[in-house]
Amino acid sequence: VRALKYNGGVQKKELAREDLDALVKGMPNLEAHLDNLAKYGVPVIVSLNRFAQDTDAELKTVMDFCRSKGVEACDDALKSANIRLISAHSSCPGKYELIITGELASVQTALEHVRAKYTHYVIDATTMGRIDKVVIDALMGVQETAPQGALGVIETYSGASAIKAADTAVKTAKVDIMDLRLSRGMGGKGVVMITGAVSDVVAAVESGADYARSQGLFAASSVMAAPHEDLWQYI
């Protein structure tokens, strides 16, 4: 925050004082750093070294700047192809999540447009041509899955990779999705919980986790062969 204010014209001796106007004026410096890091072809995360004098309003200004790029990307995606917006929201401070649908070619066009224009802001993105209905129901929160047998959990570092991991899992073995949680309240992560026979759950979790690993977005996985009956009530 202090460096951004300094680039916005604040003298060093005044950096401890809140100055939102100078902070905004210094944002091009952050953008320049993002542009440079984007040349390495890896996702970029903005983190702040907070000083005691940095105010909540100043932190919010930086997060709003990052979030605003998500809103812009959403608008550009909708204008670039004939697609429909399923969900668009801040998943956590500084991160924004979009879920779109439409003909495969249109979705790919929109995704490629956003990736090209917002390269250094995109943490993860994926296209699924034939997503399983079980995953769609879980995304909409209308799945009607009864606890049965084992419980498998896959945790990923992005919502997009969690959706793809879930789709991979249900296409690998005979399992159902108990829950699919994306981003909100989890720092942008995703968690999928599946149930079924032990052997099926093991195979499904391994397959979904392997996908996440291949993208460098795997966080953790677990299989519980016989979960305590009380646990099901909180899933």
Side-chain angles (χ1 to χ4, degrees):
V1 171
R2 290 188 171 201
L4 291 173
K5 288 193 293 186
Y6 181 74
N7 282 279
V10 175
Q11 298 299 312
K12 287 184 178 180
K13 63 181 180 180
E14 298 294 330
L15 290 176
R17 178 175 55 83
E18 181 182 282
D19 193 330
L20 301 182
D21 290 336
L23 184 57
V24 172
K25 290 178 182 178
M27 288 300 178
N29 182 261
L30 174 58
E31 284 193 289
H33 282 300
L34 292 171
D35 287 336
N36 288 332
L37 289 169
K39 297 175 183 178
Y40 292 93
V42 297
V44 179
I45 296 176
V46 176
S47 60
L48 297 175
N49 181 23
R50 183 173 188 176
F51 287 80
Q53 294 83 6
D54 295 342
T55 67
D56 290 340
E58 289 176 325
L59 297 179
K60 183 177 183 299
T61 298
V62 178
M63 290 189 289
D64 285 345
F65 166 79
C66 296
R67 186 182 302 116
S68 68
K69 294 300 179 181
V71 178
E72 290 178 24
C74 180
D75 185 57
D76 278 336
L78 291 169
K79 291 176 178 176
S80 68
N82 184 26
I83 57 172
R84 185 164 59 91
L85 190 63
I86 297 296
S87 175
H89 60 82
S90 296
S91 58
C92 65
K95 291 184 180 179
Y96 202 82
E97 178 183 277
L98 309 177
I99 300 178
I100 60 177
T101 187
E103 295 294 328
L104 180 58
S106 296
V107 171
Q108 289 176 327
T109 296
L111 184 60
E112 290 169 3
H113 177 76
V114 169
R115 271 181 161 161
K117 187 172 181 179
Y118 300 91
T119 303
H120 47 282
Y121 293 100
V122 177
I123 295 175
D124 185 29
T126 187
T127 302
M128 285 169 276
R130 294 183 178 179
I131 187 169
D132 195 285
K133 185 180 181 301
V134 173
V135 180
I136 295 176
D137 288 345
L139 279 171
M140 299 301 178
V142 297
Q143 76 273 25
E144 297 180 356
T145 302
Q148 51 175 323
L151 173 65
V153 182
I154 305 170
E155 180 182 0
T156 70
Y157 285 114
S158 75
S161 59
I163 296 173
K164 182 70 172 182
D167 191 55
T168 302
V170 298
K171 288 176 178 175
T172 298
K174 188 177 180 180
V175 294
D176 289 316
I177 296 178
M178 285 293 298
D179 199 4
L180 180 54
R181 303 176 187 177
L182 302 179
S183 306
R184 287 183 177 178
M186 297 186 292
K189 288 183 176 182
V191 174
V192 57
M193 300 184 186
I194 59 178
T195 184
V198 176
S199 58
D200 288 327
V201 171
V202 169
V205 167
E206 288 181 352
S207 180
D210 283 345
Y211 164 76
R213 286 192 189 94
S214 72
Q215 303 301 305
L217 293 166
F218 174 76
S221 65
S222 178
V223 174
M224 287 148 275
H228 192 283
E229 59 181 16
D230 290 349
L231 178 61
W232 295 111
Q233 301 176 31
Y234 294 91
I235 296 175

